[in-house]
Amino acid sequence: MVQADFDRDYLGYRGNPPSISWPGNAPLAVSFVVNFEESAEYSIRSGDQKNEAVHEVNKLVEGADTCVDRHFEYGTRSGWWRLMDCLDRHHVKATVSTCGMAAQKLPELVADAVARGHEISAHGWRWESHAGMAAEEERGNIRKTVDAITEAAGRRPVGWHTRSSTSLNTRRLLVEDGGFLYDSDAYNDDVPYFTRVGDHRHLVLPYAFDTNDMQFYDSNRFNGRDFAAYVIDAFDWLVREGRTQPRMLSIGLHLRIIGRPGRMAALEQILEHITDSQKAWVTTREEIARHWIAETDGSAR
């Protein structure tokens, strides 16, 4: 039986977060997250029992699905390079949220991200929810993910984000691993916060699905101008709030989604608006986590 209201907090900071100053007295910290999931999706052609159902054309087929397979391939064949070059042009460092299997299969892309100065964080072993996953299986998947990313990047990941739902054990297992600085398995705030996991104080950097290019799939041909306007509106509003309280904006990107040529102008507009404003600290999630820890207790691990 699932415990009622397990690990839920409806009130958070109650409107009074800590008085944290971002570097340069910026009113807002902005985190671009590039999700690297390609080759870690489920595919019957790769020996799995099912295909990934979420892709450009939402039409399921029985058996091998070359359509979904090739939509994922687009992300690494074309989207990666287009997106990475765009971030470089604007001097933006992102967090590349990487599935362990993707790091194992395509280590040259991880190496490319490291060479460009991006953070490599962990996004599960497969591109899958952990809801209902047995604790021992999940512990093994966390370990495999850390090992694969460490091998490809030359440094272990310090951040974690599960696709969609976690299990009720995920955060405890991350803390038991001992090497994670933060997780992003939350969608419940616009500012980092600490939570207790046993006797351990654990940092959470909330993520967001609205300021996320997944909306191109979820909103019936949501176009680039819509996406840019929405993200820019979110940025401008949080800058207003950030003048009196710390605020953080997460912008989620996917190689096979934003990496399409008809959508890249939206990302370019977002990057130009944010960087030209000079009102944001645009950085990796690791840097945000380390700053938050240092500002709240004077020490970072």
Side-chain angles (χ1 to χ4, degrees):
M1 179 180 294
V2 176
Q3 180 180 341
D5 283 350
F6 179 88
D7 191 30
R8 300 191 71 181
D9 179 356
Y10 291 94
L11 295 176
Y13 289 118
R14 293 169 171 80
N16 294 294
S19 298
I20 300 298
S21 296
W22 299 122
N25 290 319
L28 180 63
V30 175
S31 163
F32 284 89
V33 177
V34 178
N35 293 279
F36 179 19
E37 303 151 346
E38 287 78 2
S39 79
E41 77 280 2
Y42 281 94
S43 168
I44 287 175
R45 293 174 70 213
S46 297
D48 297 316
Q49 297 300 308
K50 61 181 179 180
N51 294 309
E52 174 53 50
V54 179
H55 62 113
E56 193 84 25
V57 180
N58 292 322
K59 182 176 177 61
L60 301 180
V61 301
E62 297 295 331
D65 190 338
T66 58
C67 181
V68 64
D69 289 345
R70 288 166 183 161
H71 273 92
F72 275 83
E73 289 168 14
Y74 186 90
T76 49
R77 290 169 64 102
S78 293
W80 176 277
W81 312 104
R82 187 174 288 136
L83 177 53
M84 288 295 161
D85 289 348
C86 185
L87 293 172
D88 282 352
R89 285 195 301 275
H90 292 276
H91 308 290
V92 165
K93 304 305 180 188
T95 293
V96 182
S97 187
T98 305
C99 291
M101 184 177 284
Q104 184 182 75
K105 289 184 176 181
L106 299 167
E108 66 185 274
L109 297 188
V110 175
D112 180 66
V114 171
R116 295 174 191 259
H118 302 300
E119 174 194 3
I120 310 298
S121 65
H123 195 24
W125 175 246
R126 304 292 304 262
W127 191 49
E128 63 180 348
S129 167
H130 283 206
M133 187 178 289
E136 285 308 306
E137 178 185 2
E138 188 171 18
R139 181 180 286 110
N141 285 347
I142 291 170
R143 175 44 47 196
K144 287 193 299 183
T145 302
V146 169
D147 289 347
I149 292 175
T150 303
E151 176 69 21
R155 180 174 181 264
R156 72 152 288 150
V158 298
W160 177 278
H161 180 217
T162 311
R163 177 189 178 182
S164 302
S165 296
T166 66
S167 78
L168 297 184
N169 298 307
T170 304
R171 189 162 284 158
R172 172 178 63 82
L173 295 173
L174 295 176
V175 169
E176 288 178 5
D177 173 86
F180 288 102
L181 191 69
Y182 71 90
D183 77 59
S184 295
D185 287 333
Y187 312 89
N188 55 1
D189 216 322
D190 298 307
V191 64
Y193 62 88
F194 290 103
T195 188
R196 300 302 304 186
V197 181
D199 295 330
H200 182 82
R201 188 184 70 160
H202 178 71
L203 182 62
V204 179
L205 301 188
Y207 191 52
F209 282 169
D210 63 324
T211 49
N212 190 305
D213 66 5
M214 63 190 288
Q215 295 301 326
F216 285 111
Y217 285 6
D218 294 344
S219 302
N220 192 23
R221 299 302 177 187
F222 188 79
N223 68 47
R225 289 177 294 279
D226 294 331
F227 182 57
Y230 187 92
V231 174
I232 288 169
D233 282 350
F235 173 82
D236 289 345
W237 191 271
L238 289 174
V239 165
R240 287 173 56 185
E241 293 185 348
R243 294 190 179 105
T244 56
Q245 295 183 333
R247 288 291 183 264
M248 173 182 169
L249 173 63
S250 296
I251 301 171
L253 307 171
H254 298 76
L255 309 175
R256 62 194 178 278
I257 304 179
I258 200 70
R260 294 280 176 175
R263 297 167 180 155
M264 284 297 297
L267 177 59
E268 192 97 68
Q269 185 178 352
I270 291 164
L271 287 165
E272 288 175 352
H273 182 85
I274 290 173
T275 56
D276 289 351
S277 75
Q278 299 185 345
K279 295 176 181 176
W281 180 40
V282 185
T283 190
T284 66
R285 295 176 92 75
E286 178 179 356
E287 290 303 312
I288 292 171
R290 293 193 183 281
H291 184 81
W292 193 267
I293 292 170
E295 286 286 305
T296 51
D297 67 5
S299 64
R301 59 188 173 112

